[in-house]
Short mmCIF file of all heavy atoms in Angstrom, two decimals:
data_model
loop_
_atom_site.label_atom_id
_atom_site.label_comp_id
_atom_site.label_asym_id
_atom_site.label_seq_id
_atom_site.Cartn_x
_atom_site.Cartn_y
_atom_site.Cartn_z
N ASN B 102 25.41 -9.93 -13.39
CA ASN B 102 24.51 -11.07 -13.58
C ASN B 102 25.15 -12.17 -14.42
O ASN B 102 24.82 -13.33 -14.27
CB ASN B 102 23.22 -10.61 -14.24
CG ASN B 102 22.36 -9.82 -13.29
OD1 ASN B 102 22.53 -9.93 -12.08
ND2 ASN B 102 21.47 -9.01 -13.83
N ILE B 103 26.04 -11.78 -15.34
CA ILE B 103 26.69 -12.83 -16.12
C ILE B 103 28.04 -13.18 -15.51
O ILE B 103 28.87 -13.82 -16.15
CB ILE B 103 26.85 -12.43 -17.60
CG1 ILE B 103 27.55 -11.08 -17.72
CG2 ILE B 103 25.50 -12.38 -18.30
CD1 ILE B 103 27.91 -10.73 -19.15
N ARG B 104 28.26 -12.76 -14.26
CA ARG B 104 29.46 -13.09 -13.50
C ARG B 104 30.74 -12.69 -14.24
O ARG B 104 31.68 -13.47 -14.34
CB ARG B 104 29.50 -14.59 -13.19
CG ARG B 104 28.42 -14.97 -12.23
CD ARG B 104 28.23 -16.44 -12.11
NE ARG B 104 26.93 -16.68 -11.50
CZ ARG B 104 26.69 -16.56 -10.21
NH1 ARG B 104 27.63 -16.21 -9.40
NH2 ARG B 104 25.48 -16.80 -9.74
N MET B 105 30.70 -11.49 -14.75
CA MET B 105 31.91 -10.99 -15.39
C MET B 105 32.91 -10.64 -14.29
O MET B 105 32.53 -10.31 -13.17
CB MET B 105 31.55 -9.74 -16.20
CG MET B 105 32.67 -9.22 -17.05
SD MET B 105 32.10 -7.80 -17.96
CE MET B 105 31.29 -8.55 -19.35
N ALA B 106 34.17 -10.73 -14.60
CA ALA B 106 35.21 -10.43 -13.60
C ALA B 106 35.12 -8.95 -13.21
O ALA B 106 34.88 -8.09 -14.06
CB ALA B 106 36.58 -10.75 -14.16
N LYS B 107 35.36 -8.69 -11.92
CA LYS B 107 35.25 -7.33 -11.38
C LYS B 107 36.05 -6.29 -12.18
O LYS B 107 35.51 -5.25 -12.54
CB LYS B 107 35.71 -7.31 -9.92
CG LYS B 107 34.62 -7.75 -8.96
CD LYS B 107 33.85 -6.56 -8.39
CE LYS B 107 32.46 -6.96 -7.90
NZ LYS B 107 32.48 -7.99 -6.85
N PRO B 108 37.37 -6.57 -12.45
CA PRO B 108 38.14 -5.54 -13.16
C PRO B 108 37.55 -5.22 -14.53
O PRO B 108 37.51 -4.06 -14.94
CB PRO B 108 39.53 -6.20 -13.32
CG PRO B 108 39.54 -7.38 -12.43
CD PRO B 108 38.14 -7.76 -12.12
N GLU B 109 37.05 -6.25 -15.20
CA GLU B 109 36.47 -6.02 -16.52
C GLU B 109 35.21 -5.15 -16.40
O GLU B 109 34.99 -4.24 -17.20
CB GLU B 109 36.14 -7.38 -17.15
CG GLU B 109 35.39 -7.31 -18.47
CD GLU B 109 36.23 -6.72 -19.61
OE1 GLU B 109 37.42 -6.46 -19.38
OE2 GLU B 109 35.67 -6.51 -20.70
N ILE B 110 34.41 -5.43 -15.36
CA ILE B 110 33.21 -4.61 -15.14
C ILE B 110 33.62 -3.16 -14.95
O ILE B 110 33.10 -2.25 -15.59
CB ILE B 110 32.43 -5.10 -13.91
CG1 ILE B 110 31.86 -6.50 -14.17
CG2 ILE B 110 31.30 -4.12 -13.58
CD1 ILE B 110 31.06 -7.06 -13.02
N THR B 111 34.60 -2.95 -14.06
CA THR B 111 35.04 -1.59 -13.79
C THR B 111 35.51 -0.92 -15.08
O THR B 111 35.20 0.24 -15.35
CB THR B 111 36.19 -1.61 -12.76
OG1 THR B 111 35.87 -2.55 -11.75
CG2 THR B 111 36.39 -0.24 -12.15
N ARG B 112 36.27 -1.69 -15.85
CA ARG B 112 36.80 -1.11 -17.09
C ARG B 112 35.67 -0.66 -18.00
O ARG B 112 35.65 0.46 -18.50
CB ARG B 112 37.67 -2.16 -17.79
CG ARG B 112 38.54 -1.58 -18.91
CD ARG B 112 39.23 -2.68 -19.68
NE ARG B 112 38.30 -3.55 -20.39
CZ ARG B 112 37.65 -3.20 -21.51
NH1 ARG B 112 37.84 -2.02 -22.03
NH2 ARG B 112 36.83 -4.05 -22.09
N ARG B 113 34.68 -1.55 -18.16
CA ARG B 113 33.60 -1.21 -19.09
C ARG B 113 32.76 -0.04 -18.60
O ARG B 113 32.37 0.83 -19.36
CB ARG B 113 32.68 -2.43 -19.24
CG ARG B 113 33.30 -3.51 -20.09
CD ARG B 113 32.20 -4.28 -20.74
NE ARG B 113 32.69 -5.50 -21.35
CZ ARG B 113 31.91 -6.30 -22.06
NH1 ARG B 113 30.64 -6.00 -22.22
NH2 ARG B 113 32.40 -7.37 -22.61
N VAL B 114 32.49 -0.05 -17.28
CA VAL B 114 31.69 1.05 -16.73
C VAL B 114 32.42 2.37 -16.92
O VAL B 114 31.83 3.36 -17.35
CB VAL B 114 31.38 0.79 -15.24
CG1 VAL B 114 30.77 2.03 -14.60
CG2 VAL B 114 30.44 -0.40 -15.09
N THR B 115 33.71 2.37 -16.61
CA THR B 115 34.47 3.60 -16.76
C THR B 115 34.47 4.05 -18.22
O THR B 115 34.32 5.23 -18.52
CB THR B 115 35.93 3.38 -16.29
OG1 THR B 115 35.90 2.56 -15.13
CG2 THR B 115 36.58 4.70 -15.99
N GLU B 116 34.66 3.09 -19.08
CA GLU B 116 34.72 3.42 -20.51
C GLU B 116 33.40 4.06 -20.97
O GLU B 116 33.39 5.12 -21.60
CB GLU B 116 34.98 2.14 -21.28
CG GLU B 116 35.50 2.35 -22.68
CD GLU B 116 35.79 1.00 -23.32
OE1 GLU B 116 36.86 0.43 -23.03
OE2 GLU B 116 34.92 0.51 -24.07
N ALA B 117 32.30 3.41 -20.62
CA ALA B 117 31.00 3.95 -21.03
C ALA B 117 30.76 5.31 -20.41
O ALA B 117 30.26 6.24 -21.06
CB ALA B 117 29.88 2.98 -20.63
N ALA B 118 31.15 5.44 -19.13
CA ALA B 118 30.93 6.71 -18.44
C ALA B 118 31.75 7.82 -19.09
O ALA B 118 31.27 8.95 -19.25
CB ALA B 118 31.29 6.58 -16.97
N THR B 119 32.97 7.50 -19.47
CA THR B 119 33.79 8.51 -20.13
C THR B 119 33.19 8.91 -21.47
O THR B 119 33.11 10.09 -21.81
CB THR B 119 35.22 7.96 -20.36
OG1 THR B 119 35.60 7.22 -19.21
CG2 THR B 119 36.19 9.09 -20.60
N LEU B 120 32.78 7.90 -22.18
CA LEU B 120 32.22 8.15 -23.50
C LEU B 120 31.02 9.10 -23.40
O LEU B 120 30.84 9.99 -24.23
CB LEU B 120 31.79 6.81 -24.11
CG LEU B 120 31.37 6.81 -25.57
CD1 LEU B 120 32.57 7.20 -26.42
CD2 LEU B 120 30.87 5.43 -25.96
N LEU B 121 30.21 8.91 -22.38
CA LEU B 121 28.99 9.70 -22.26
C LEU B 121 29.15 10.89 -21.32
O LEU B 121 28.20 11.60 -21.03
CB LEU B 121 27.85 8.81 -21.77
CG LEU B 121 27.45 7.74 -22.77
CD1 LEU B 121 26.61 6.68 -22.11
CD2 LEU B 121 26.69 8.36 -23.93
N GLN B 122 30.36 11.07 -20.80
CA GLN B 122 30.65 12.18 -19.88
C GLN B 122 29.75 12.16 -18.66
O GLN B 122 29.14 13.17 -18.29
CB GLN B 122 30.53 13.52 -20.61
CG GLN B 122 31.56 13.64 -21.70
CD GLN B 122 31.17 14.65 -22.76
OE1 GLN B 122 30.14 15.29 -22.63
NE2 GLN B 122 31.98 14.78 -23.76
N ILE B 123 29.65 11.00 -18.05
CA ILE B 123 28.88 10.92 -16.81
C ILE B 123 29.74 10.40 -15.67
O ILE B 123 29.24 9.91 -14.66
CB ILE B 123 27.63 10.01 -16.96
CG1 ILE B 123 28.02 8.69 -17.59
CG2 ILE B 123 26.55 10.69 -17.76
CD1 ILE B 123 26.89 7.68 -17.61
N GLU B 124 31.09 10.52 -15.80
CA GLU B 124 31.96 9.97 -14.76
C GLU B 124 31.63 10.55 -13.40
O GLU B 124 31.65 9.86 -12.39
CB GLU B 124 33.44 10.28 -15.04
CG GLU B 124 33.96 9.80 -16.36
CD GLU B 124 34.06 10.93 -17.36
OE1 GLU B 124 33.06 11.68 -17.48
OE2 GLU B 124 35.12 11.07 -17.99
N GLN B 125 31.33 11.86 -13.38
CA GLN B 125 31.15 12.49 -12.07
C GLN B 125 29.79 12.16 -11.46
O GLN B 125 29.49 12.55 -10.36
CB GLN B 125 31.37 14.00 -12.17
CG GLN B 125 30.33 14.80 -12.93
CD GLN B 125 30.38 14.56 -14.45
OE1 GLN B 125 31.23 13.82 -14.96
NE2 GLN B 125 29.44 15.15 -15.15
N LEU B 126 28.97 11.42 -12.20
CA LEU B 126 27.63 11.12 -11.68
C LEU B 126 27.52 9.69 -11.16
O LEU B 126 26.46 9.27 -10.71
CB LEU B 126 26.58 11.30 -12.78
CG LEU B 126 26.57 12.63 -13.50
CD1 LEU B 126 25.56 12.60 -14.63
CD2 LEU B 126 26.25 13.75 -12.54
N LEU B 127 28.63 8.95 -11.20
CA LEU B 127 28.54 7.51 -10.98
C LEU B 127 27.96 7.11 -9.64
O LEU B 127 27.35 6.05 -9.51
CB LEU B 127 29.92 6.86 -11.15
CG LEU B 127 30.32 6.66 -12.61
CD1 LEU B 127 31.75 6.15 -12.72
CD2 LEU B 127 29.37 5.72 -13.30
N GLU B 128 28.14 7.95 -8.62
CA GLU B 128 27.66 7.54 -7.30
C GLU B 128 26.26 8.07 -7.00
O GLU B 128 25.75 7.92 -5.90
CB GLU B 128 28.64 7.99 -6.20
CG GLU B 128 30.06 7.48 -6.39
CD GLU B 128 30.12 5.99 -6.74
OE1 GLU B 128 29.30 5.22 -6.19
OE2 GLU B 128 30.98 5.60 -7.58
N ARG B 129 25.64 8.73 -7.98
CA ARG B 129 24.30 9.27 -7.70
C ARG B 129 23.22 8.27 -8.03
O ARG B 129 23.42 7.31 -8.75
CB ARG B 129 24.08 10.52 -8.55
CG ARG B 129 24.99 11.66 -8.18
CD ARG B 129 24.30 12.94 -8.47
NE ARG B 129 25.26 14.02 -8.65
CZ ARG B 129 24.98 15.13 -9.31
NH1 ARG B 129 23.79 15.27 -9.88
NH2 ARG B 129 25.87 16.08 -9.41
N ARG B 130 22.05 8.57 -7.49
CA ARG B 130 20.87 7.76 -7.81
C ARG B 130 20.12 8.42 -8.97
O ARG B 130 20.22 9.64 -9.15
CB ARG B 130 19.91 7.73 -6.60
CG ARG B 130 20.48 7.04 -5.41
CD ARG B 130 19.99 5.61 -5.34
NE ARG B 130 20.84 4.83 -4.48
CZ ARG B 130 20.56 4.57 -3.20
NH1 ARG B 130 19.45 5.01 -2.69
NH2 ARG B 130 21.37 3.86 -2.47
N PRO B 131 19.35 7.66 -9.72
CA PRO B 131 18.63 8.25 -10.85
C PRO B 131 17.79 9.48 -10.47
O PRO B 131 17.70 10.43 -11.25
CB PRO B 131 17.72 7.11 -11.31
CG PRO B 131 18.46 5.88 -10.94
CD PRO B 131 19.21 6.20 -9.69
N LYS B 132 17.23 9.47 -9.28
CA LYS B 132 16.41 10.62 -8.86
C LYS B 132 17.20 11.90 -8.82
O LYS B 132 16.65 12.99 -8.97
CB LYS B 132 15.85 10.36 -7.45
CG LYS B 132 14.45 9.83 -7.45
CD LYS B 132 13.64 10.37 -6.28
CE LYS B 132 12.32 9.65 -6.20
NZ LYS B 132 12.43 8.39 -5.45
N GLN B 133 18.52 11.79 -8.59
CA GLN B 133 19.33 12.99 -8.45
C GLN B 133 19.90 13.45 -9.78
O GLN B 133 20.82 14.25 -9.82
CB GLN B 133 20.49 12.71 -7.47
CG GLN B 133 20.00 12.27 -6.10
CD GLN B 133 21.08 11.57 -5.30
OE1 GLN B 133 21.77 10.70 -5.81
NE2 GLN B 133 21.20 11.94 -4.04
N LEU B 134 19.36 12.92 -10.88
CA LEU B 134 19.88 13.29 -12.20
C LEU B 134 18.84 14.08 -12.97
O LEU B 134 17.64 13.95 -12.76
CB LEU B 134 20.22 12.01 -12.99
CG LEU B 134 21.25 11.07 -12.39
CD1 LEU B 134 21.43 9.88 -13.29
CD2 LEU B 134 22.56 11.79 -12.18
N SER B 135 19.30 14.90 -13.89
CA SER B 135 18.38 15.60 -14.78
C SER B 135 17.94 14.62 -15.87
O SER B 135 18.51 13.55 -16.04
CB SER B 135 19.09 16.79 -15.41
OG SER B 135 20.02 16.33 -16.36
N GLY B 136 16.94 15.04 -16.63
CA GLY B 136 16.42 14.18 -17.68
C GLY B 136 17.49 13.75 -18.66
O GLY B 136 17.62 12.58 -19.00
N GLY B 137 18.31 14.71 -19.07
CA GLY B 137 19.34 14.41 -20.06
C GLY B 137 20.38 13.46 -19.49
O GLY B 137 20.85 12.54 -20.17
N GLN B 138 20.70 13.66 -18.19
CA GLN B 138 21.69 12.78 -17.56
C GLN B 138 21.15 11.36 -17.45
O GLN B 138 21.87 10.39 -17.68
CB GLN B 138 22.06 13.33 -16.19
CG GLN B 138 22.86 14.62 -16.28
CD GLN B 138 22.98 15.33 -14.96
OE1 GLN B 138 22.11 15.19 -14.09
NE2 GLN B 138 24.04 16.09 -14.79
N ARG B 139 19.86 11.26 -17.09
CA ARG B 139 19.26 9.93 -17.02
C ARG B 139 19.34 9.25 -18.38
O ARG B 139 19.63 8.06 -18.48
CB ARG B 139 17.80 10.04 -16.63
CG ARG B 139 17.61 10.27 -15.17
CD ARG B 139 16.14 10.37 -14.84
NE ARG B 139 16.01 11.31 -13.75
CZ ARG B 139 14.87 11.68 -13.22
NH1 ARG B 139 13.73 11.21 -13.69
NH2 ARG B 139 14.84 12.54 -12.23
N GLN B 140 19.08 10.03 -19.40
CA GLN B 140 19.13 9.50 -20.75
C GLN B 140 20.51 8.93 -21.05
O GLN B 140 20.64 7.85 -21.59
CB GLN B 140 18.78 10.63 -21.72
CG GLN B 140 18.68 10.19 -23.13
CD GLN B 140 17.66 9.09 -23.26
OE1 GLN B 140 16.49 9.31 -22.99
NE2 GLN B 140 18.10 7.92 -23.64
N ARG B 141 21.52 9.69 -20.65
CA ARG B 141 22.88 9.21 -20.89
C ARG B 141 23.14 7.92 -20.15
O ARG B 141 23.78 7.01 -20.67
CB ARG B 141 23.90 10.24 -20.39
CG ARG B 141 24.12 11.36 -21.34
CD ARG B 141 24.88 12.45 -20.61
NE ARG B 141 24.41 13.73 -21.09
CZ ARG B 141 25.10 14.44 -21.95
NH1 ARG B 141 26.26 14.03 -22.38
NH2 ARG B 141 24.62 15.58 -22.38
N VAL B 142 22.67 7.86 -18.89
CA VAL B 142 22.89 6.64 -18.11
C VAL B 142 22.21 5.46 -18.79
O VAL B 142 22.78 4.37 -18.90
CB VAL B 142 22.38 6.81 -16.67
CG1 VAL B 142 22.52 5.50 -15.91
CG2 VAL B 142 23.14 7.91 -15.97
#
Side-chain angles (χ1 to χ4, degrees):
Chain B
N102 288 339
I103 53 172
R104 292 168 198 282
M105 187 179 277
K107 278 265 157 59
E109 174 68 5
I110 294 181
T111 318
R112 194 187 64 75
R113 285 208 192 185
V114 170
T115 320
E116 199 177 280
T119 320
L120 189 64
L121 294 165
Q122 296 158 3
I123 49 173
E124 303 102 311
Q125 69 289 357
L126 307 175
L127 281 174
E128 303 314 323
R129 294 210 203 159
R130 295 262 162 97
K132 263 216 189 85
Q133 302 162 313
L134 301 179
S135 72
Q138 291 168 332
R139 281 180 214 178
Q140 185 57 63
R141 279 167 215 258
V142 176

